[in-house]
Amino acid sequence: MDERYIAAAIAISGLITWALRAVPFALLRPLRDSELLAYVGERMPLGVMVILAVYTLHDVRPEMASALPPLVALAVTVALHLWRGNAVLSLFAGTVVCTVVASTLAAWA
């Protein structure tokens, strides 16, 4: 292959990558003073937590042992979120707890 062709492909790929990363910031600039965006920003973490909890628990049968990991993780997530008020910390801790409990149950089985 020609070196100019390779250089052009790399340059075009770089420009497209840069544009895809820069365009969202340019488009959001006029929205920074929007009351609607501020409202959504305040309510979004709670909405995400509710959607994740419903999605996680929609197939859980409480009478089965497989229900233990998501139920324990949900309890830890809710307790941690009420205590610290940090959605990222709560979600991360809940995920870790669910994984650890599920792995421990699998190891004992």
Side-chain angles (χ1 to χ4, degrees):
M1 270 193 201
D2 186 19
E3 289 85 14
R4 289 178 292 167
Y5 178 79
I6 294 172
I10 291 172
I12 290 170
S13 298
L15 286 172
I16 290 171
T17 300
W18 181 84
L20 288 173
R21 292 175 188 259
V23 167
F25 292 103
L27 293 176
L28 286 177
R29 183 166 301 210
L31 297 175
R32 292 190 188 187
D33 295 328
S34 168
E35 291 180 26
L36 176 64
L37 192 62
Y39 177 79
V40 170
E42 289 174 12
R43 303 297 190 261
M44 185 67 80
L46 178 61
V48 169
M49 296 283 274
V50 169
I51 289 169
L52 287 172
V54 169
Y55 178 76
T56 300
L57 299 174
H58 79 281
D59 282 337
V60 172
R61 292 186 189 161
E63 68 275 1
M64 298 183 69
S66 63
L68 189 62
L71 293 176
V72 171
L74 178 65
V76 168
T77 302
V78 169
L80 193 56
H81 190 70
L82 290 174
W83 178 49
R84 302 297 293 174
N86 186 334
V88 174
L89 176 65
S90 303
L91 290 172
F92 181 73
T95 302
V96 169
V97 167
C98 187
T99 304
V100 168
V101 172
S103 298
T104 304
L105 286 177
W108 285 351

